[in-house]
Amino acid sequence: DYPAMLSEANAERLAEGLSRMRGVALKVAQMLSIQDETIVPPQFQAIMQRVRNSADAMPSRQFEAIMKEELGENWREKFAHFDVKPIAAASIGQVHKAVTKQGIEVAVKVQYPGIAASINSDISNLGSLLQLVMPTGMFLPKLLESTRQELLLETDYLHEAKNQDTFRNLLSE
């Protein structure tokens, strides 16, 4: 049973709002877009799929400030080429194509500011909202806890780099 509040018009409004958001809200929309229709109605699933594919990139001034903070005032000089237009934007950051001074093509992940610090409160707030629109019996607390843990891990780019090294080593064996 789906709540009456889960109308197509409400789902459309939710999708528009989530597309402009980052972090937890966008991650939950991404997760809902791939759920079985016994959990999420097909029309709602389609709208969440659109959200998943339409995350907004951060404003250029914000991007510049983050790059300067992380890599220094002359951060561009560390690369032979850096495409400031992201090739992807997602729930916790965006990805840029770049070329190192050594000529190696790389993907540079830039995390949205404040994402890691906001995860716990965002999960709590989003849980309250989702209780109004999701079907009963969906195990929402487990979904939200899983999302919280996944997002906290995703914000740890050093952990991700270690996993990539492990994967590269496994492939080379």
Side-chain angles (χ1 to χ4, degrees), residues 48-107:
M48 292 299 105
Q49 175 69 34
R50 196 179 80 221
V51 171
R52 192 172 103 179
N53 295 332
S54 65
D56 287 345
M58 73 176 79
S60 58
R61 282 193 320 196
Q62 187 178 50
F63 167 77
E64 284 290 330
I66 291 169
M67 294 302 286
K68 286 178 183 175
E69 181 181 325
E70 294 295 323
L71 298 177
E73 192 69 32
N74 300 319
W75 67 269
R76 290 175 193 267
E77 294 173 10
K78 298 180 190 273
F79 299 93
H81 173 77
F82 192 99
D83 191 349
V84 294
K85 183 178 184 220
I87 57 174
S91 57
I92 65 162
Q94 58 194 41
V95 181
H96 295 262
K97 186 176 180 181
V99 179
T100 66
K101 293 276 191 178
Q102 297 76 27
I104 301 168
E105 287 188 11
V106 294

Side-chain angles (χ1 to χ4, degrees), residues 15-26:
E16 287 174 21
L18 290 173
S19 291
R20 290 187 296 272
M21 298 175 85
R22 297 181 178 138
V24 172
L26 187 53

Side-chain angles (χ1 to χ4, degrees), residues 106-126:
V106 294
V108 178
K109 293 180 79 172
V110 182
Q111 194 171 116
Y112 301 131
I115 286 294
S118 70
I119 289 173
N120 289 328
S121 64
D122 286 356
I123 285 283
S124 177
N125 293 335
L126 196 59

Side-chain angles (χ1 to χ4, degrees), residues 3 5-6 10 13-14 17-18 21 25 28 44 122-134 140 144:
M5 291 182 71
L6 192 57
N10 284 345
R13 280 192 286 278
L14 183 60
L18 290 173
M21 298 175 85
V28 169
F44 190 73
D122 286 356
I123 285 283
S124 177
N125 293 335
L126 196 59
S128 298
L129 173 66
L130 288 176
Q131 283 181 340
L132 299 174
V133 296
M134 298 311 298
L140 190 57
L144 292 172

